[in-house]
């Protein structure tokens, strides 16, 4: 069916382009996955808390708080606090706050999963089994295991099943919403990063020896396509491979070296922001936040147009 063809196209994209972009032959294909910044705004609390609002709520949700009164902001913040307190012990810890901030930043991914969910949850039971996903995505192949178009759907299906198993943390081969999100977007989850590395290596390692040599590394980024001379960036990448990628100087990249390349240890923006919010709000300095401590600092967490106006008046009282 048309739906199946669309979904199969989606799987092709997900399977082969987890962290890479489609590009022209002379453009560099980017496989490196960096954590995005929490906001494009400057982080300067002496001016405003706009960065913190974006970080805590996500940029789109932060805009919705701008028109609220302080009372409305506090009420909605109280409801959010109940969600952040994952173990329901009455306190928000730094780890719980960090997890919430990461979730706020992934909202666009959750929205994408929500759009796809109904296509795969065939029996509408609120979970997606491997059989449901396989039947919707590979149903045509299962009917005709030797398709004319030449795609190796059996290999793709085995790769998808391996990724599904990695995402399925309780081992029942039935994915809830979070597990299915990890399946579709493995680069966003720590426990899925081995799969991201493995799939990337399989894509690049053309001779199948389990390593990435220099020519495979360059070949993944750049196709000569009749060009007689390599662009300057390709020469630079050759030097990067020799000097920095191949750490043990054996002429090839193993799994750990590949991981260091595509999943670099970036500055953890969410962790830094969680520490900042706790430091600024923890009145009794016990290392965790009560509901009251958070709501007392509502202008830091969510703000409102009313407080912004008030702060503006204080800053410009010369007028």
């Amino acid at each position: 069916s048309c739906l199946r063809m669309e979904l199969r196209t989606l799987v092709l994209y997900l399977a082969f382009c987890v962290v890479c972009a489609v590009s022209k032959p002379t453009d560099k294909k980017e496989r490196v996955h960096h954590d995005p910044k929490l906001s494009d705004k400057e982080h300067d609390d002496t001016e405003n808390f706009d960065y913190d609002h974006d970080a805590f709520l996500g940029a789109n949700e932060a805009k919705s708080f701008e028109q609220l009164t302080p009372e409305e902001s506090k009420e909605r913040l109280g409801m959010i606090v109940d969600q952040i307190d994952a173990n329901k012990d009455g306190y928000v810890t730094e780890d719980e706050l960090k997890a919430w901030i990461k979730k706020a930043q992934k909202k666009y991914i959750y929205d994408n999963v929500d759009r796809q969910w109904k296509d795969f949850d065939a029996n509408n039971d609120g979970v997606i089994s491997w059989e449901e996903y396989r039947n919707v995505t590979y149903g045509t192949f299962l009917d005709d295991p030797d398709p004319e178009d030449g795609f190796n759907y059996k290999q793709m299906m085995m790769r998808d099943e391996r990724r599904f198993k990695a995402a399925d943390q309780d081992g029942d081969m039935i994915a809830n919403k979070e597990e299915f999100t990890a399946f579709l977007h493995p680069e966003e989850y720590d426990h899925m990063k081995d799969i991201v590395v493995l799939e990337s290596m399989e894509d690049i390692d053309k001779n199948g020896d389990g390593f990435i040599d220099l020519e495979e590394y360059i070949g993944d980024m750049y196709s000569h396509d009749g060009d007689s001379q390599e662009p300057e960036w390709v020469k630079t990448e050759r030097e990067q491979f020799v000097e920095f990628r191949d750490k043990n100087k054996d002429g090839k990249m193993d799994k750990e070296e590949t991981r260091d390349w595509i999943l670099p240890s970036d500055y953890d923006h969410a962790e830094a922001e969680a520490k900042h919010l706790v430091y600024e709000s923890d009145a009794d300095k016990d290392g965790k936040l009560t509901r009251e401590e958070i709501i007392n600092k509502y202008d830091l967490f969510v703000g409102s147009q009313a407080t912004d106006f008030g702060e503006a008046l204080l800053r410009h009282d010369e007028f």
Side-chain angles (χ1 to χ4, degrees), residues 41-307:
K41 300 182 175 76
E42 288 295 319
H43 196 185
D44 184 357
D45 286 356
T46 61
E47 288 293 317
N48 56 57
F49 298 130
D50 291 347
Y51 177 97
D52 302 295
H53 301 162
D54 284 0
F56 183 73
L57 296 165
N60 288 335
E61 185 66 14
K63 288 176 186 170
S64 72
F65 274 79
E66 290 177 2
Q67 306 305 321
L68 301 181
T69 66
E71 290 70 26
E72 290 168 330
S73 278
K74 290 176 185 178
E75 184 180 353
R76 284 180 59 177
L77 178 57
M79 291 187 282
I80 291 172
V81 171
D82 294 338
Q83 297 176 54
I84 302 172
D85 180 15
N87 64 1
K88 305 304 176 190
D89 67 350
Y91 295 96
V92 169
T93 64
E94 198 174 282
D95 284 344
E96 286 173 332
L97 202 47
K98 175 182 168 183
W100 169 265
I101 291 167
K102 284 185 178 290
K103 189 170 183 176
Q105 301 313 310
K106 288 181 191 172
K107 189 174 185 306
Y108 70 98
I109 288 174
Y110 286 104
D111 290 345
N112 172 263
V113 173
D114 284 341
R115 282 192 295 271
Q116 296 187 54
W117 183 267
K118 61 182 180 297
D119 294 330
F120 293 103
D121 183 13
N123 62 1
N124 295 311
D125 64 350
V127 291
I128 294 171
S129 68
W130 165 246
E131 286 76 14
E132 283 179 310
Y133 178 83
R134 183 193 63 193
N135 291 341
V136 170
T137 307
Y138 296 103
T140 306
F141 162 72
L142 293 169
D143 294 337
D144 176 17
D146 189 23
E148 293 179 8
D149 56 20
F151 277 122
N152 191 340
Y153 289 112
K154 184 175 182 181
Q155 188 175 355
M156 284 174 57
M157 190 165 69
M158 288 171 62
R159 181 161 148 156
D160 267 356
E161 186 173 11
R162 182 181 64 191
R163 190 198 283 189
F164 198 98
K165 281 180 179 176
D168 173 38
Q169 292 191 287
D170 58 10
D172 61 1
M173 289 303 278
I174 297 172
N176 59 27
K177 186 67 69 71
E178 190 71 9
E179 288 169 330
F180 195 62
T181 304
F183 169 70
L184 291 181
H185 299 276
E187 69 282 1
E188 298 291 336
Y189 290 82
D190 287 341
H191 69 280
M192 296 295 289
K193 289 187 175 176
D194 281 345
I195 285 289
V196 174
V197 174
L198 183 58
E199 290 184 2
S200 299
M201 288 192 78
E202 288 173 347
D203 291 343
I204 303 169
D205 174 24
K206 300 303 182 188
N207 65 13
D209 67 351
F211 298 93
I212 298 172
D213 62 36
L214 175 57
E215 292 313 311
E216 288 169 336
Y217 174 79
I218 296 298
D220 179 61
M221 301 179 185
Y222 169 72
S223 170
H224 283 273
D225 200 32
D227 296 340
S228 57
Q229 193 170 1
E230 288 183 346
E232 197 61 38
W233 70 261
V234 176
K235 294 175 185 173
T236 303
E237 281 297 341
R238 289 184 182 276
E239 294 167 5
Q240 290 279 316
F241 182 94
V242 173
E243 292 296 320
F244 302 109
R245 308 279 181 246
D246 177 21
K247 291 181 170 60
N248 62 5
K249 308 303 178 190
D250 64 353
K252 55 195 177 184
M253 287 163 57
D254 59 24
K255 188 174 180 180
E256 288 308 309
E257 289 166 334
T258 304
R259 174 190 286 269
D260 289 344
W261 166 44
I262 66 173
L263 298 171
S265 299
D266 285 348
Y267 175 76
D268 193 326
H269 300 281
E271 183 176 310
E273 179 64 10
K275 286 181 186 296
H276 168 66
L277 292 175
V278 170
Y279 178 80
E280 293 294 333
S281 311
D282 184 16
D284 62 7
K285 300 303 175 189
D286 65 349
K288 53 191 177 183
L289 302 179
T290 63
R291 180 191 181 98
E292 185 181 21
E293 284 174 327
I294 292 174
I295 291 175
N296 283 344
K297 285 281 190 175
Y298 80 96
D299 53 336
L300 170 67
F301 285 87
V302 296
S304 71
Q305 193 75 344
T307 34

